[in-house]
């Protein structure tokens, strides 16, 4: 446990140091530096939460759910519908935010249960197809013009609930430049000592909140893993038939694990899209692509390990997702690459005359596309070479007592030499 | 007496499997409703507190026929593509999530070649230029064509003139290239991705195929750019209004209320798809390879013990499956005109629906499933009008989920062999 905490801390410190260094190279001031590090931290934290949720389903219960995007959509949309202002467009119900969050998680759980009850009988690959189809159905239903009055249709749910940080720090939560509250005064004056603007300060506070949420989810899941329920889940992960033969109703446990995971995915959807910095809920966001990113993150960390899930989520979000564009900016600045060929052929032709600059410019400009190709290659290599990820292969004992000591009352007495050789 | 016995039997069947009874009931109601709509009978409205329901209505036969034709067109593409997915699913035992992107690869590679040939003025001009280059006589005709824009599909379709009437040879060569390149890509991917993990579980292979899907899709975007474009030109493309032709032929019919337009591209698609499917049927039924493939789908270990060269059969599976998928991608673009790097990916779930509907591993089932999915997705527009039309896809997906849940062997009874 202590070692895991150290690993996660070291990794986050490393990520922060790396991106702070990036910011320094790019010549950012304090405000820009914090904004960059904050963005990476936020993404790492939300990925951490949703990867933990997927780990419950796939890592522990062996349920191959590739409908993550759909469950996040249900959470985010429901929370927004429940607690956004009734006057906006599309109108919300104006309920307090905690009720909205709980409602969103509950809705995602219920959708998960409805899907799980019949679907979990299926083979793993059938379940995969069912869940991805379900997530597409959910997305298209939110997207359809028929319900645009309620969901906002293709342009998304614009009327987002007020961020809790805004209500905490500002007298008028809908305006960033309004008079701060007493607490807000303390926070803003603290940040302004370092030349950090109010907007960045608000987002930073929110990100710290998400980190706390990640910690809570992690601790709850670790605790669950040590409970009788978690022990059965681990048993299912190791050998479902053995767990069944011990009289466990594995189907029941799997349904509950699936529902729990879906609820947490709903929470991640809310924290990620319904509030906080640059929140926006649009159907396009919930395409299956995002599900696959989460899967890559889980496979990097190693299915079956909570700590690995957090590590994988953070590493994916920072190194694979956020870093490439930043590195591109650094290279473009450092080498003054201004070549911008319109297509691959124009970039390749000058190589014949020894001119590599157009190709470099083209690669840099298409770093987003290259990033996705790289993710594909990484996924293939991981599945082939390291299917257990960074931390998935280790043994986690499920027993409550340490197994390293021999606690049998009179050990050795039954040895074949008739006993008596007790040292 | 007789009728009573029949009713009795029906009731017993309904009690035994209530799910199937509900499905049948819904199907019968929809069919009756469609017939009522076509003859123009309407009952209702049936008022409920939330909405009022009409039975029947007024739908011109020509409109239904038009939807059915476009359903057949898209169904032929889905059927062709789903054969490959069904084959790899049963023989290699995994759901290939990269299958849609194989289709995209076929479409882009084939159309790039078609564009070059059509753009520089046909095969004749290409041959002439090659001859000139060899002999050093004459002038290159490639000079005045912007080859880069052509091969990257950036020339406006009217300038390229890629159309089966204006440049039929370019279309034929493009189709062949689409098949060839898709097969080559599939074999290369099999060699480097799937072969090293031949004995892995289905889920590991599935995850690897997701990686392949990402790689292929963004590779296409990297080379061709990520904008969507129209590539076929409709200039001078022959087309026929079948409804008007029929009423002309049979003057005692009332004039059709809407047109049913069939153009040469759609016709080509349906004919080529039909020929490919019949060819596949012959291959599987009358050759040793077909028998070996069917044996492998049943039991790979047993097939290997019997002396079937499994690796070679797997290779043939990829060749057939990917070839048909590449052709499907090329033909899809021929009939629809539009092409983007997500084209195949967006079609993937419908292809899965066709495979599952027909029963995984059954080739005839996949073809029939493709037609059913294509027809259902278009004919459902009779009921799903206006804003509701966006529910056509979810309906197909929901159908697929229901089949997986209640009849995982497919609607045609399901033998897990080709």
């Amino acid at each position: 446990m202590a070692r895991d905490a150290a690993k996660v801390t070291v990794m986050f410190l490393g990520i922060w140091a790396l991106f702070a260094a990036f910011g320094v190279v790019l010549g950012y001031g304090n405000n820009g530096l914090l904004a960059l590090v904050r963005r990476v931290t936020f993404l790492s934290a939300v990925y951490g939460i949703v990867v933990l949720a997927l780990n419950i389903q796939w890592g522990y219960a062996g349920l191959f759910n590739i409908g993550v995007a759909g469950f996040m959509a249900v959470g985010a949309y429901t929370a927004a519908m429940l607690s956004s202002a009734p006057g906006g467009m599309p109108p919300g119900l104006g309920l307090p935010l905690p009720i909205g969050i709980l409602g969103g998680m509950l809705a995602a759980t219920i959708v998960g249960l409805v899907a799980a009850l019949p679907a979990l009988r299926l083979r793993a690959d059938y379940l995969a197809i069912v869940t991805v189809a379900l997530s597409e159905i959910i997305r298209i239903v939110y997207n359809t013009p028929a319900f645009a009055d309620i969901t906002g249709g293709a342009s998304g749910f614009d009327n987002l609930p007020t961020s809790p940080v805004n209500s905490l720090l500002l007298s008028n939560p809908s305006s960033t430049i309004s008079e701060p509250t007493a607490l807000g005064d303390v926070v803003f004056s603290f940040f302004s000592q370092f030349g950090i603007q109010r907007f960045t300060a608000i987002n930073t506070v929110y990100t710290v909140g998400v980190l706390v949420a990640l910690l809570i989810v992690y601790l709850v899941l670790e605790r669950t893993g040590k409970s009788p329920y978690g022990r059965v889940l681990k048993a299912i992960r190791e050998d479902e038939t053995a767990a069944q033969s011990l009289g466990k109703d594995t189907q029941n446990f799997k349904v509950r694990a699936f529902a729990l995971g879906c609820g947490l995915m709903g929470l991640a959807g809310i924290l990620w899209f319904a509030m906080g910095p640059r929140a926006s809920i649009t159907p396009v966001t919930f395409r299956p692509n995002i599900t696959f990113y989460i899967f890559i993150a889980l496979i990097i960390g190693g299915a079956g390990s909570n700590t690995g899930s957090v590590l994988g989520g953070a590493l994916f979000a920072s190194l694979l997702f956020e870093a490439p564009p930043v590195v591109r900016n650094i290279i473009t600045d450092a080498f003054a690459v201004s070549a911008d060929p319109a297509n691959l052929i124009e970039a390749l032709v000058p190589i014949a005359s020894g001119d590599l600059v157009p190709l470099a410019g083209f690669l840099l400009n298409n770093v987003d596309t290259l990033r996705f190709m790289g993710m594909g290659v990484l996924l293939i290599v991981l599945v082939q070479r390291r299917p257990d990820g960074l931390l998935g292969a280790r043994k986690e004992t499920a027993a409550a007592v340490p197994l390293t000591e021999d606690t049998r009352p009179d050990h050795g007495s039954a040895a074949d030499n008739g006993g008596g050789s007790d040292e | 007496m007789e009728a009573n016995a029949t009713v009795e039997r029906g009731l017993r069947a309904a009690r035994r499997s209530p799910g199937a009874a509900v499905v049948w009931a819904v199907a019968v109601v929809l069919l009756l409703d469609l017939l009522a709509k076509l003859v123009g009978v309407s009952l209702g409205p049936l008022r409920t507190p939330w909405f009022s329901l009409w039975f029947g209505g007024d739908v011109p036969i020509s409109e239904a026929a038009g939807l059915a034709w476009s359903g057949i067109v898209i169904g032929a593409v889905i059927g062709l593509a789903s054969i490959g997915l069904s084959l790899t699913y049963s023989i290699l035992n995994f759901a290939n999530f990269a299958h849609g992107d194989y289709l995209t690869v076929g479409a882009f590679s084939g159309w790039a070649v078609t564009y070059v040939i059509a753009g520089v003025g046909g095969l004749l001009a290409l041959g002439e230029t090659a001859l000139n280059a060899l002999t050093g006589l004459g002038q290159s005709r490639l000079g005045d064509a912007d080859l880069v824009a052509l091969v990257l599909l950036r020339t406006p379709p009217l300038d390229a003139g890629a159309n089966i009437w204006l440049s039929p040879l370019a279309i034929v060569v493009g189709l062949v290239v689409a098949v060839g390149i898709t097969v080559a890509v599939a074999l290369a991917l099999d060699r480097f991705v799937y072969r090293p993990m031949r004995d892995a579980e289905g889920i590991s292979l599935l995850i690897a195929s997701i990686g392949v899907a990402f790689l292929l899709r963004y590779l296409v975007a990297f080379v061709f750019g990520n904008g969507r474009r129209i590539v076929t030109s409709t200039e001078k493309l022959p087309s026929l209004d079948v409804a008007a032709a029929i009423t002309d032929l049979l003057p005692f019919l009332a004039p059709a209320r809407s047109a049913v337009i069939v153009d040469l591209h759609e016709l080509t698609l349906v004919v080529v798809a039909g020929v490919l499917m019949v060819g596949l049927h012959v291959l599987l039924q009358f050759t040793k390879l077909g028998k070996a493939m069917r044996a492998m789908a049943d039991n790979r270990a047993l097939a290997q013990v019997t002396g079937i060269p499994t690796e070679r059969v797997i290779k043939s599976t990829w060749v057939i499956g990917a070839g048909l998928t590449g052709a499907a991608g090329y033909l899809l673009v021929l009939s629809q005109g539009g092409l983007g790097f997500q084209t195949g990916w967006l079609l993937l779930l419908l292809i899965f629906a066709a495979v599952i509907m027909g029963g995984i591993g059954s080739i005839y089932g996949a073809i029939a499933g493709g037609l059913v999915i294509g027809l259902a997705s278009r004919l459902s527009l009779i009921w799903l009008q206006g804003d509701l039309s966006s529910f056509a896809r979810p309906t197909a997906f929901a159908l697929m989920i229901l089949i997986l849940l209640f009849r995982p062997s497919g609607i045609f009874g399901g033998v897990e062999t080709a």
Side-chain angles (χ1 to χ4, degrees):
Chain A
M1 183 72 197
R3 224 203 259 155
D4 286 356
K7 267 181 197 156
V8 174
T9 317
V10 166
M11 182 205 54
F12 266 104
L13 289 178
I15 290 173
W16 288 334
L18 179 70
F19 278 83
F22 283 163
V24 170
V25 172
L26 283 169
Y28 287 174
N30 274 356
N31 190 57
L33 219 57
L34 181 65
L36 178 66
V37 170
R38 200 251 350 126
R39 202 174 72 214
V40 173
T41 313
F42 171 74
L43 208 61
S44 303
V46 284
Y47 262 100
I49 295 176
V50 69
V51 173
L52 277 173
L54 185 62
N55 185 39
I56 283 287
Q57 298 180 337
W58 192 40
Y60 281 113
L63 302 167
F64 195 73
N65 171 13
I66 47 176
V68 181
F71 297 110
M72 291 206 296
V74 170
Y77 266 97
T78 311
M81 285 174 191
L82 288 178
S83 17
S84 58
M89 208 38 230
L93 293 178
L95 298 171
L97 195 59
I99 294 182
I101 294 177
L102 281 180
M105 291 175 67
L106 199 64
T109 311
I110 290 170
V111 174
L113 268 180
V114 170
L117 285 175
L120 294 192
R121 293 179 299 149
L122 297 175
R123 275 165 43 179
D125 48 345
Y126 286 12
L127 180 69
I129 297 169
V130 166
T131 47
V132 75
L134 180 71
S135 97
E136 277 295 271
I137 292 177
I138 290 172
R139 185 180 69 81
I140 296 173
V141 168
Y142 281 130
N143 191 50
T144 179
F147 302 144
D149 297 343
I150 315 170
T151 64
S155 59
F157 199 93
D158 282 336
N159 176 25
L160 294 175
T162 319
S163 161
V165 178
N166 284 21
S167 345
L168 204 62
L169 299 184
L170 297 165
S171 58
N172 175 11
S174 57
S175 149
T176 331
I177 51 164
S178 70
E179 199 60 29
T181 58
L183 182 61
D185 217 22
V186 177
V187 172
F188 292 144
S189 56
F190 171 75
F191 276 108
S192 64
Q193 285 173 8
F194 304 97
I196 284 158
Q197 292 158 12
R198 197 181 267 197
F199 182 68
T200 314
I202 291 174
N203 286 343
T204 307
V205 172
Y206 183 81
T207 302
V208 171
V210 177
L211 274 179
V212 172
L214 170 66
L215 184 68
I216 292 172
V217 170
Y218 175 81
L219 290 178
V220 167
L221 291 183
E222 275 291 297
R223 182 72 194 78
T224 314
K226 294 202 167 60
S227 69
Y229 172 71
R231 284 204 294 275
V232 177
L233 278 189
K234 284 178 181 168
I236 293 175
R237 176 185 65 177
E238 298 301 329
D239 190 339
E240 185 174 350
T241 318
Q244 262 171 347
S245 64
L246 289 172
K248 302 296 178 194
D249 181 0
T250 54
Q251 206 57 31
N252 182 342
F253 280 91
K254 280 159 81 174
V255 168
R256 274 152 56 189
F258 195 79
L260 173 66
C262 289
L264 290 176
M265 285 168 191
L267 174 69
I270 296 167
L271 293 176
W272 194 344
F273 299 111
M275 13 188 230
R278 301 227 188 135
S280 86
I281 302 180
T282 51
V284 185
T285 318
F286 301 106
R287 288 229 171 108
N289 274 5
I290 197 165
T291 304
F292 297 138
Y293 303 156
I294 292 158
F295 252 96
I296 297 173
L298 178 57
I299 292 172
I300 292 175
S305 152
N306 284 328
T307 312
S309 302
V310 176
L311 288 178
L315 286 177
F316 176 86
S318 57
L319 297 186
L320 285 176
F321 212 91
E322 284 289 327
V326 180
V327 172
R328 186 250 324 265
N329 290 346
I330 292 177
I331 295 179
T332 318
D333 279 4
F335 298 99
V337 184
S338 60
D340 182 20
N343 55 55
L344 184 61
I345 295 179
E346 280 178 27
L348 287 177
V349 168
I351 293 182
S353 55
D355 186 5
L356 287 172
V357 175
L359 181 64
F362 186 70
L363 292 180
L364 287 174
N365 287 337
N366 284 285
V367 80
D368 285 345
T369 311
L370 288 173
R371 177 174 73 175
F372 291 122
M373 285 167 65
M375 283 179 196
V377 174
L378 180 72
L379 195 53
I380 296 168
V381 171
L382 277 176
V383 170
Q384 284 186 348
R385 303 279 156 85
R386 289 207 63 151
D388 293 325
L390 294 178
L391 289 182
R394 67 175 176 176
K395 290 270 175 252
E396 282 183 32
T397 47
V401 290
L403 296 180
T404 43
E405 297 163 31
D406 197 337
T407 48
R408 279 173 299 177
D410 52 345
H411 78 110
S413 59
D416 53 4
N417 62 0
S421 66
D422 220 331
E423 60 266 74
Chain B
M1 201 62 215
E2 189 85 334
N4 259 350
T6 316
V7 170
E8 193 83 345
R9 216 171 332 119
L11 280 180
R12 232 179 301 135
R15 246 175 265 131
R16 229 179 300 124
S17 55
V22 170
V23 170
W24 276 110
V26 171
V28 167
V29 168
L30 282 179
L31 187 67
L32 288 178
D33 185 50
L34 178 63
L35 288 177
K37 280 185 160 83
L38 288 179
V39 291
V41 178
S42 66
L43 292 175
L46 216 72
R47 288 194 199 288
T48 63
W50 303 282
F51 52 89
S52 45
L53 211 60
W54 290 80
F55 179 79
D58 185 20
V59 173
I61 293 182
S62 49
E63 189 189 324
L67 287 173
W69 172 247
S70 79
I72 288 174
V73 169
I74 188 77
V77 170
I78 294 176
L80 210 52
S82 62
I83 292 170
L85 186 61
S86 190
L87 277 177
T88 48
Y89 207 150
S90 63
I91 289 180
L92 297 169
N93 229 337
F94 77 103
N96 183 6
F97 270 72
H99 196 75
D101 298 290
Y102 286 10
L103 189 139
T104 316
V105 167
F108 269 96
S109 54
W111 278 97
V113 171
T114 300
Y115 251 49
V116 170
I117 296 174
V120 300
L123 268 187
L124 217 61
L126 267 187
E128 196 187 315
T129 313
L131 202 69
N132 290 343
L134 277 180
T135 56
L137 298 167
Q139 240 180 349
S140 164
R141 284 179 54 178
L142 295 176
D144 50 346
D146 183 0
L147 269 184
V148 172
L150 279 173
V151 81
L152 293 179
L153 298 171
R154 296 193 186 200
T155 313
L158 276 180
D159 296 351
N163 158 332
I164 196 159
W165 191 251
L166 296 178
S167 47
L169 260 180
I171 300 281
V172 172
V173 175
L175 181 63
V176 172
V177 169
V179 170
I181 300 235
T182 316
V183 167
V185 167
L187 286 180
L189 284 170
D190 182 57
R191 174 67 192 77
F192 292 108
V193 179
Y194 302 121
R195 201 166 120 191
M197 43 194 308
R198 198 66 92 205
D199 295 320
E201 306 167 56
I203 283 297
S204 302
L205 288 162
L206 194 161
I207 295 172
S209 80
I210 292 174
V212 170
F214 264 81
L215 178 63
L216 282 183
R217 195 177 324 146
Y218 289 96
L219 184 66
V220 168
F222 183 65
V223 176
F224 290 93
N226 44 19
R228 208 182 135 75
R229 66 206 88 196
I230 301 286
V231 292
T232 54
S233 129
T234 46
E235 190 192 356
K236 293 186 196 155
L237 184 68
S239 66
L240 180 68
D241 183 350
V242 176
I246 289 179
T247 45
D248 282 350
L249 216 62
L250 309 167
F252 54 86
L253 289 175
R257 281 184 287 169
S258 67
V260 182
I261 295 186
V262 174
D263 72 25
L264 194 58
H265 281 166
E266 292 172 337
L267 203 64
T268 314
L269 182 158
V270 172
V271 169
V272 172
V275 168
L276 286 176
M277 286 169 185
V278 172
L280 183 70
H281 165 74
V282 172
L283 181 80
L284 285 180
Q285 291 299 323
F286 302 108
T287 64
K288 225 171 172 177
L289 171 67
K291 205 182 262 177
M293 282 170 71
R294 284 181 285 156
M296 270 197 67
D298 257 1
N299 187 333
R300 193 196 297 182
L302 193 56
Q304 203 160 12
V305 170
T306 331
I308 292 173
T310 49
E311 270 307 313
R312 214 154 69 205
V313 176
I314 288 174
K315 218 171 248 174
S316 320
T317 308
W318 279 115
V319 169
I320 296 172
L324 292 176
T325 310
Y330 186 86
L331 293 171
L332 173 75
V333 177
L334 182 70
S335 73
Q336 316 274 314
L339 176 61
F341 77 103
Q342 304 241 38
T343 297
W345 166 242
L346 296 177
L347 207 64
L348 178 68
L349 270 183
L350 287 179
I351 300 174
F352 263 117
V355 169
I356 286 161
M357 191 163 280
I360 290 165
S362 157
I363 283 170
Y364 308 112
I367 296 172
L371 281 176
V372 169
I373 289 286
L375 280 172
S377 71
R378 287 298 185 273
L379 283 179
S380 63
L381 295 178
I382 290 179
W383 291 276
L384 303 171
Q385 287 188 339
D387 279 355
L388 291 177
S389 63
S390 53
F391 281 103
R393 279 170 85 87
T395 311
F397 296 162
L399 216 58
M400 171 174 85
I401 292 180
L402 288 177
I403 290 172
L404 269 181
L405 290 182
F406 298 110
R407 215 182 151 84
S409 54
I411 50 174
F412 304 113
V415 261
E416 273 226 8
T417 44

